[in-house]
Amino acid sequence: MTSNSDVLILAMDHRDSLLRDLYGIDDAPTREQIARISAHKALIFDGLLKAIEGGVDASRVGVLVDERYGAAVAVRAKEAGIDLAMPIERSGEPLFMLEYGTFGDSEWLRHVQEFAPAQVKVLVRDNPQASFNRVLQFDRLITVSNALRAAGRTFMIELLVPATPAQLESVGSDALRYDRDVRAGLTVQVIEEMQAEGIEPQIWKIEGLETEQDARAVVAAAQRDDRSGVSCIVLGRDASQPRLDHWLGVASAVEGFRGFAIGRSIWEKPLADHLAGTASESQLVQLVAGNYTHFVHAWDS
């Protein structure tokens, strides 16, 4: 997949939230539970393959999957020639931590080299006005950014900018107003501050934006100072279909946005129905295929 082609990713790298919210697992999962979760991730991937069978252009299709529960899916994706992205962060941590190894060794990079994904993803929660240790988080991201550049790997940052209590209070505790009136400006600020520290992803995975003006501002920040090869994609954030359709419509009209990475909005309800016994394996696969195809069409339209 070239640097300027669409990348339409089905994201299924969820770990901590998946165990807690869908399987009701609060402790370390047993071997049997791990096998079950892995089997269900395989079914979700089957849904992606069915979408391709149904006419979605395979050259634009990607999957974002974790090694912990989705190693078999990662192998299948590579064998099928599907664009593979993989995370390296430990799931469910407020501050960026590695899933494998430490920032002082190369264990995490060995895992990357073993699977050789097209993109290496880090989820980052950041807000310029938050109280957590931004300096430490930036230092960790610099280490990863430099190591991936030296290894010739494409770096993707999934950037979440959660509201501080004061920011939420400033918009009357209305999360929608925070998204519309505040978050885009903070996103631009975070991108520029990370760049100033030497954190240089090739792809920014961004929460959906409400207006084309906001989308253009985010792209301008991502591509400033001779970074024209940097691009943005829209993340799903478990949003409703109408909300996601709006975000995709906004982003697809702005040069510099080149696709999406949507997860739970595609497979969470079908998987929950399957776990509840109201959807068979084949129905789960078909529903995932239909939901993914819907968002491909929403992007294209």
Side-chain angles (χ1 to χ4, degrees):
M1 191 171 289
T2 62
S3 61
N4 58 359
S5 62
D6 286 350
V7 54
L8 309 178
I9 297 174
L10 189 155
M12 49 189 291
D13 62 322
H14 305 68
R15 287 153 283 162
D16 187 70
S17 63
L18 178 69
L19 266 64
R20 182 183 63 249
D21 298 341
L22 284 180
Y23 294 91
I25 300 171
D26 291 318
D27 302 318
T30 65
R31 184 176 301 175
E32 292 76 14
Q33 288 170 328
I34 290 172
R36 186 177 184 225
I37 295 163
S38 298
H40 289 152
K41 291 209 173 194
L43 289 173
I44 293 169
F45 183 69
D46 287 343
L48 186 62
L49 295 179
K50 183 166 279 295
I52 294 171
E53 291 174 11
V56 174
D57 180 359
S59 70
R60 308 164 72 206
V61 172
V63 63
L64 169 60
V65 68
D66 57 292
E67 177 181 346
R68 186 166 296 278
Y69 304 114
V73 168
V75 171
R76 289 176 63 197
K78 295 276 285 189
E79 290 174 347
I82 291 174
D83 191 85
L84 173 65
M86 297 186 78
I88 59 170
E89 80 279 352
R90 187 181 304 173
S91 181
E93 299 290 343
L95 196 68
F96 170 38
M97 299 178 67
L98 290 166
E99 175 85 318
Y100 301 106
T102 71
F103 294 97
D105 63 37
S106 58
E107 174 68 10
W108 66 273
L109 192 57
R110 185 186 67 76
H111 284 258
V112 170
Q113 305 288 37
E114 179 182 348
F115 286 91
Q119 298 97 19
V120 179
K121 192 254 339 181
V122 171
L123 184 149
V124 181
R125 294 174 178 85
D126 189 44
N127 187 309
Q129 297 172 25
S131 58
F132 67 89
N133 195 336
R134 296 184 82 211
V135 173
L136 176 60
Q137 178 152 277
F138 279 18
D139 283 347
R140 292 173 173 179
L141 289 166
I142 292 165
T143 298
V144 166
S145 181
N146 290 340
L148 291 175
R149 185 186 305 113
R153 297 286 172 193
T154 298
F155 184 23
M156 176 193 296
I157 287 184
E158 176 180 0
L159 179 60
L160 302 181
V161 187
T164 66
Q167 288 165 348
L168 204 52
E169 187 178 342
S170 74
V171 290
S173 299
D174 185 336
L176 212 57
R177 278 185 60 197
Y178 169 75
D179 278 348
R180 187 189 67 214
D181 300 340
V182 181
R183 178 166 51 76
L186 294 173
T187 300
V188 167
Q189 184 178 345
V190 170
I191 288 172
E192 292 181 347
E193 289 177 354
M194 286 189 182
Q195 290 168 338
E197 295 294 330
I199 301 162
E200 298 286 358
Q202 286 83 22
I203 302 173
W204 291 94
K205 185 181 171 195
I206 300 291
E207 295 171 279
L209 298 159
E210 300 301 324
T211 68
E212 288 184 26
Q213 181 179 355
D214 286 341
R216 283 192 291 271
V218 167
V219 168
Q223 295 186 340
R224 72 191 182 108
D225 296 339
D226 300 319
R227 295 181 178 88
S228 59
V230 175
S231 57
C232 302
I233 61 175
V234 179
L235 66 88
R237 213 177 69 177
D238 199 20
S240 66
Q241 195 173 93
R243 191 96 191 276
L244 262 170
D245 287 349
H246 172 67
W247 289 343
L248 296 179
V250 166
S252 63
V254 175
E255 189 174 350
F257 270 92
R258 53 184 284 237
F260 60 73
I262 300 172
R264 290 175 294 172
S265 302
I266 291 172
W267 51 257
E268 187 173 52
K269 178 66 163 57
L271 178 55
D273 289 346
H274 178 61
L275 293 173
T278 58
S280 66
E281 288 187 358
S282 62
Q283 287 171 321
L284 165 60
V285 169
Q286 190 62 54
L287 288 166
V288 167
N291 290 343
Y292 174 79
T293 302
H294 168 88
F295 291 124
V296 171
H297 290 161
W299 175 261
D300 287 340
S301 66

